[in-house]
Each structure stands twice: as C-alpha cells, then as structure tokens.
Amino acid sequence: MTATEHPGRASTGAARPVSLTVGQVARAAGVTANAVRHYERYGVISGDRNSGNARRFTADAICRIRLALAAQRVGITLRESAAILAGIPPLSHDLALWATAGEELVRIGRARISELQATVNELATFGFLQTDAAPDRRRP
C-alpha cells in the first residue's frame, strides 16, 4: 500500500506531508469529489497542484470538510466556516487552534438554533399575524 492510501500517514516518517487526491479526500470526508472542489472554491480547504495539474490536499482537509459539514447543518455558511478555519495553518497540530475554531462554530450554531426556536415559537402562537409584528402591507 502507498502512503496516499492511508490519509494522514506518512510513508517514511519524513517531514513531507501526505498528498491526497480529490477522490481520497472525498471518500474520507464522506462527500463527493464535486463537493471537495466546492469547499475549495469557498476557501474551507486549499490544495496545491502537482506537476500533472491535479489537485492535492493535506490530511487536514478531511477535518475541515467534516467541521464545515456539521456547521452547515445548523445554518452556518461555508464562507463563515472558511473564515473561522482560516486561523488554523495547514497541518497544524495545535489543538488549541482547532478547539477555538470548534468553540466558535458551536457558539454561532447555538445562536442560530436560538433564532430558529424563536421563529418556531412565533409560528406556533401565530405571533407573526399580530398587527404590531407584521409590516404594513396595505397598497395605496
């Protein structure tokens, strides 16, 4: 087996990072190859091109995609996730940086959940129908 068949594992212990293909990142992150390219366009992950012009990614691309996927489920945009994850250098082993990014995603997610809960409560009580809550929609 080659080093690229084991995401995140170097073959010789050398300082050179493992280079993963779009397909390898997609399989490991549980997304499609098109989704990997989409996350790259939004800046959630970044890759380099090899001599054959194929995209190559480091193993942390998998973690970044998984975090962004989870964040999307509570309404955090890819742009927001990308901005938060931008503070973590590629291949960073600094758990404090990852924890800080995770905590920020959780904070934003909880705020989104609160907003959604307030909206659901308003729908449940028909609060949106009250005249003081609705903008004036009369035509002249």
Side-chain angles (χ1 to χ4, degrees), residues 120-128 130:
V120 168
N121 292 343
E122 185 179 3
L123 288 170
T125 61
F126 297 103
F128 60 95
Q130 296 174 5

Side-chain angles (χ1 to χ4, degrees), residues 47-67:
D48 294 317
R49 300 264 182 185
N50 67 9
S51 58
N53 203 31
R55 289 178 179 91
R56 297 293 180 175
F57 300 91
T58 54
D60 64 323
I62 298 162
C63 293
R64 291 169 191 273
I65 290 172
R66 287 182 178 169
L67 280 170

Side-chain angles (χ1 to χ4, degrees), residues 17-72:
V18 174
S19 176
L20 303 173
T21 66
V22 170
Q24 289 169 322
V25 171
R27 277 188 299 283
V31 298
T32 66
N34 282 339
V36 171
R37 292 179 193 99
H38 186 71
Y39 288 118
E40 185 180 23
R41 276 192 300 278
Y42 274 89
V44 172
I45 61 172
S46 61
D48 294 317
R49 300 264 182 185
N50 67 9
S51 58
N53 203 31
R55 289 178 179 91
R56 297 293 180 175
F57 300 91
T58 54
D60 64 323
I62 298 162
C63 293
R64 291 169 191 273
I65 290 172
R66 287 182 178 169
L67 280 170
L69 275 170
Q72 281 182 287

Side-chain angles (χ1 to χ4, degrees), residues 110-127:
R110 286 188 173 142
R112 296 283 161 84
I113 290 168
S114 261
E115 291 169 12
L116 287 171
Q117 188 61 58
T119 301
V120 168
N121 292 343
E122 185 179 3
L123 288 170
T125 61
F126 297 103

Side-chain angles (χ1 to χ4, degrees), residues 90-101:
L91 293 174
S92 176
H93 294 287
D94 186 343
L95 293 180
L97 288 176
W98 286 99
T100 299

